[in-house]
Amino acid sequence: MQRMGMIIGVKPDKIDEYKRLHAAVWPEVLTQIKASNIRNYSIFLREPENLLFGYWEYYGTDFETDMARMAEHPKTREWWTFTDPCQQPLASVAAGEHWAMMPEVFHTD
């Protein structure tokens, strides 16, 4: 299992919409998340900075393939047409990144 953290901005005028969307995530999207070997997925909001912090645990063996499969899933792609306009990628994201991945620097159980 690999713990993964990521960050992105959220547009101030879209915070309520983003919260509303995530209060009722589509079942097909949740099923695809699990099919992509992701568990224990959470998104946190930090205001007034308007940052979203995502955390998940990846249980697969080929992250790139699992993420590509998720990106090809029709209902997930449709879901992203609603969530992506709410988000504001950081200026420092790598090419091809939307959420900025963060290296783990500490963990304890």
Side-chain angles (χ1 to χ4, degrees):
M1 183 272 293
Q2 181 180 0
R3 289 177 298 277
M4 303 178 87
M6 62 220 85
I7 193 167
I8 195 167
V10 62
K11 296 174 183 172
D13 62 324
K14 298 286 188 175
I15 290 172
D16 289 340
E17 180 177 353
Y18 197 82
K19 287 178 181 180
R20 180 187 57 76
L21 287 165
H22 285 83
V25 178
W26 301 346
E28 301 92 342
V29 172
L30 296 174
T31 298
Q32 183 57 48
I33 288 170
K34 288 180 183 171
S36 299
N37 297 305
I38 293 171
R39 306 287 183 275
N40 199 22
Y41 187 4
S42 298
I43 298 174
F44 301 87
L45 171 63
R46 170 66 185 186
E47 293 181 274
E49 293 87 351
N50 303 325
L51 295 173
L52 297 170
F53 168 72
Y55 169 85
W56 66 43
E57 295 169 355
Y58 177 68
Y59 284 83
T61 58
D62 189 342
F63 183 71
E64 288 76 25
T65 297
D66 283 334
M67 294 305 98
R69 198 171 300 128
M70 182 183 296
E72 294 168 1
H73 183 250
K75 280 306 248 190
T76 299
R77 291 175 62 88
E78 183 182 354
W79 173 256
W80 290 341
T81 69
F82 293 96
T83 59
D84 284 5
C86 298
Q87 298 167 344
Q88 181 70 46
L90 303 181
S92 61
V93 294
E97 257 186 343
H98 187 69
W99 284 73
M101 299 306 289
M102 302 167 63
E104 182 177 355
V105 296
F106 176 78
H107 173 80
T108 185
D109 282 324

